[in-house]
Amino acid sequence: MVYAVVRAGGRQEKVEVGTIVTMDRIKADKDGNVQLTPVLLVDGEKITSDAKSLAKVTVTAEVLNDLRGPKIVIQKFKNKTGYKKRQGHRQELTRVKITGIK
């Protein structure tokens, strides 16, 4: 069983071939593929976490679609001062499918 832990935006995700991952917006090349940076590689009993060895490892993914996350509402309020502020946010996301770990 081969899997890797990759850096996906500000987080880390455990991925295998065929896994679908939603991460922060990432730009794809003209073919719709992206390269993800591995942090850890597990190949059966062998665990690789050395930076030199991981430089040779490539994790490729195919971009399925771009989407936006759920809307969150940020409200700030201070009692007795008349201060209130309301703000909204929707995160830009990309859904990718892992195609290879080499």
Side-chain angles (χ1 to χ4, degrees), residues 34-47:
V34 293
Q35 298 280 336
L36 300 175
T37 308
V39 178
L40 178 79
L41 177 68
V42 177
D43 187 5
E45 301 268 328
K46 184 179 170 194
I47 299 172

Side-chain angles (χ1 to χ4, degrees), residues 5 7 37-42 46-58:
V5 176
R7 193 169 287 131
T37 308
V39 178
L40 178 79
L41 177 68
V42 177
K46 184 179 170 194
I47 299 172
T48 307
S49 63
D50 181 37
K52 274 187 189 176
S53 301
L54 288 174
K56 301 171 190 169
V57 176
T58 58

Side-chain angles (χ1 to χ4, degrees), residues 52-89:
K52 274 187 189 176
S53 301
L54 288 174
K56 301 171 190 169
V57 176
T58 58
V59 178
T60 57
E62 171 191 356
V63 173
L64 299 177
N65 60 346
D66 290 329
L67 58 138
R68 298 183 74 193
K71 184 164 190 167
I72 61 169
V73 178
I74 301 128
Q75 289 186 326
K76 296 179 181 180
F77 176 80
K78 291 194 177 178
N79 196 16
K80 300 178 188 166
T81 60
Y83 174 79
K84 57 185 173 181
K85 181 179 179 182
R86 184 175 173 170
Q87 180 180 354
H89 177 77

